């Protein structure tokens, strides 16, 4: 089997997986699969070196990517009417399966996605940042393997205990935001950085939070910090980036962030301030998100093996 046919088989399997999730009512998983596939198709469309497909076939792939995004946005919509239905999307299955021989008119009047990066859930794109704002996030040097897109989260288990060493569990209780009810698929990314913004631990994503109440989004999720506290350097901090999906702009965005410094690590509840994006891992140019009493609510538990 040729590489091209293997690629088409892989895309077809991904398409079926997404529509199966969709028909079963597993909407978060369906959106993930649709957006991952849309990104793969767009990557092929944008590749100037690829000779596997003709320009017409690439145009068709681009239109399929558009339809996948339209279905994703329909699933995200709070309106009862669906702009792009599952039965419509299923009409594209034979096209993606038989792309090399498909010669009919595309069934929907859509245009290929504009030349831009399509983001899978859990990925971050600073499309809104320019100049100094973009430079401010440059301090983050990812020294760990890239993470898979997060729908169910990528939280890690607690490390094994060591004599005389302390582990930290942070329970993310809730976050207060004036527009909490409007946030789509909200989740938190947790990282541990040194004073230069370099990762000290694997980055973790919580699952999507589903409970919203007034100005609060409730997480009630435990995060296990992946290093003994005694091994963290002075000046390290634990960052919490609140992220949500923007259907109009079609990417996942950081709304705000908070952090815990080493001297704030102590057992019990704590509320910490929220800061405006972009995330400043070096903590040099901090701006409060709001003057209102809205915070990130945490509870810390220390585990020490004597």
């Amino acid at each position: 089997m040729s590489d091209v046919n293997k690629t088409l088989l892989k895309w077809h399997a991904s398409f079926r997986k997404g529509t199966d999730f969709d028909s079963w009512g597993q909407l978060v998983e369906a959106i993930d699969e649709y957006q991952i596939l849309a990104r793969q198709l767009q990557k092929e469309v944008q590749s100037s070196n690829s000779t596997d497909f003709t320009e017409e076939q690439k145009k068709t792939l681009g239109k399929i990517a558009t339809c996948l995004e339209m279905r994703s946005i329909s699933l995200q919509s709070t309106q009862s009417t669906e702009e792009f239905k599952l039965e419509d999307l299923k009409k594209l299955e034979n096209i993606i399966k038989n792309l090399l021989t498909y010669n009919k008119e595309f069934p929907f009047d859509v245009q290929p996605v504009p030349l831009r990066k399509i983001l899978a859930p859990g990925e971050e794109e600073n499309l809104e940042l320019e100049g100094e704002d973009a430079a401010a996030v440059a301090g983050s040097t990812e020294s760990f393997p890239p993470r898979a897109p997060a729908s169910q989260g990528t939280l890690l288990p607690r490390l094994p205990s060591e004599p005389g060493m302390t582990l930290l569990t942070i329970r993310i209780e809730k976050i207060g935001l004036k527009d909490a009810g409007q946030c789509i698929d909200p989740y938190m990314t947790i990282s541990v950085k040194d004073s230069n913004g370099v990762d000290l631990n694997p980055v973790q994503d919580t699952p999507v939070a589903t409970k919203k109440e007034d100005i609060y989004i409730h997480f009630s999720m435990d995060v296990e910090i992946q290093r003994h506290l005694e091994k963290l350097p002075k000046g390290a901090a634990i960052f919490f980036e609140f992220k949500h999906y923007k259907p109009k702009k079609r990417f996942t965005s950081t709304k705000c962030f908070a952090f815990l410094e080493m001297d704030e690590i102590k057992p019990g509840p704590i509320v910490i301030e929220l800061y405006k994006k972009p995330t400043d891992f070096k903590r040099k140019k901090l701006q409060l998100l709001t003057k209102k009493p809205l915070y990130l609510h945490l509870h810390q538990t220390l585990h020490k093996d004597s």
Side-chain angles (χ1 to χ4, degrees):
M1 183 182 294
S2 69
D3 289 342
V4 175
N5 283 313
K6 287 179 182 177
T7 298
L8 290 174
L9 277 176
K10 183 180 73 171
W11 289 343
H12 179 242
S14 178
F15 184 90
R16 282 294 300 272
K17 189 176 178 182
T19 54
D20 283 348
F21 279 138
D22 200 342
S23 62
W24 298 334
Q26 294 178 243
L27 303 188
V28 173
E29 292 83 356
I31 291 166
D32 277 9
E33 202 63 41
Y34 290 154
Q35 292 181 340
I36 291 168
L37 178 56
R39 184 180 57 169
Q40 291 173 348
L41 299 183
Q42 182 68 355
K43 185 177 178 182
E44 181 63 41
V45 171
Q46 294 179 6
S47 174
S48 57
N49 298 324
S50 173
T51 56
D52 291 338
F53 302 101
T54 66
E55 288 305 312
E56 197 62 34
Q57 289 166 348
K58 285 185 178 183
K59 189 180 292 184
T60 300
L61 290 174
K63 290 182 178 181
I64 293 172
T66 298
C67 293
L68 289 165
E69 286 208 73
M70 289 171 64
R71 180 57 187 164
S72 296
I73 291 170
S74 292
L75 294 179
Q76 298 274 4
S77 175
T78 56
Q79 306 298 321
S80 58
T81 57
E82 295 180 355
E83 296 177 8
F84 198 83
K85 297 181 181 297
L86 175 59
E87 51 263 39
D88 292 333
L89 189 66
K90 285 185 174 181
K91 294 176 183 177
L92 305 181
E93 182 174 351
N94 280 333
I95 300 177
I96 199 167
K97 187 178 179 182
N98 302 302
L99 181 69
L100 298 181
T101 56
Y102 182 79
N103 57 8
K104 299 178 182 177
E105 189 174 342
F106 199 79
F108 305 107
D109 184 17
V110 297
Q111 295 303 313
V113 179
L115 292 182
R116 58 172 177 76
K117 185 178 180 185
I118 298 176
L119 300 170
E123 290 189 317
E124 179 59 24
E125 178 76 353
N126 296 303
L127 296 179
E128 301 162 299
L129 309 182
E130 294 180 2
E132 290 184 2
D133 284 350
V137 298
S140 174
T141 304
E142 183 67 60
S143 55
F144 293 91
R147 293 166 293 142
S151 56
Q152 300 303 311
T154 56
L155 295 179
L156 298 168
R158 190 182 306 166
L159 293 175
S161 59
E162 292 183 18
M165 305 298 276
T166 308
L167 289 168
L168 172 63
T169 301
I170 299 177
R171 186 170 185 80
I172 303 175
E173 299 283 7
K174 60 185 179 180
I175 187 172
L177 298 166
K178 64 180 181 180
D179 56 349
Q182 299 174 25
C183 295
I184 296 174
D185 283 356
Y187 68 98
M188 202 78 71
T189 295
I190 302 93
S191 57
V192 183
K193 312 277 187 180
D194 68 11
S195 57
N196 292 315
V198 176
D199 280 311
L200 299 171
N201 279 4
V203 178
Q204 303 181 64
D205 290 328
T206 69
V208 168
T210 56
K211 183 181 177 184
K212 300 173 186 176
E213 185 179 39
D214 297 326
I215 59 169
Y216 292 108
I217 296 174
H218 293 262
F219 284 84
S220 302
M221 300 172 189
D222 289 339
V223 180
E224 304 292 347
I225 301 305
Q226 298 293 301
R227 184 174 291 203
H228 295 89
L229 296 183
E230 291 82 0
K231 296 179 181 178
L232 288 175
K234 187 177 180 180
I238 302 168
F239 283 84
F240 305 85
E241 297 174 88
F242 178 81
K243 300 179 179 181
H244 64 128
Y245 180 72
K246 290 188 172 182
K248 287 186 178 179
K249 295 186 177 179
R250 300 178 181 178
F251 64 85
T252 298
S253 171
T254 298
K255 183 176 183 66
C256 59
F257 71 99
F259 58 87
L260 270 178
E261 295 187 316
M262 297 304 292
D263 59 0
E264 296 176 295
I265 296 177
K266 55 193 72 172
I270 186 173
V271 294
I272 56 177
E273 293 177 317
L274 302 172
Y275 296 96
K276 291 181 180 179
K277 63 182 180 182
T279 309
D280 182 6
F281 293 121
K282 295 184 179 181
R283 293 162 274 161
K284 300 292 187 184
K285 297 180 180 179
L286 299 173
Q287 284 186 289
L288 287 173
L289 179 68
T290 177
K291 294 180 180 178
K292 296 180 180 181
L294 299 174
Y295 305 100
L296 178 61
H297 296 248
L298 308 172
H299 190 282
Q300 303 181 81
T301 304
L302 301 181
H303 314 273
K304 188 156 188 175
D305 188 355
S306 55

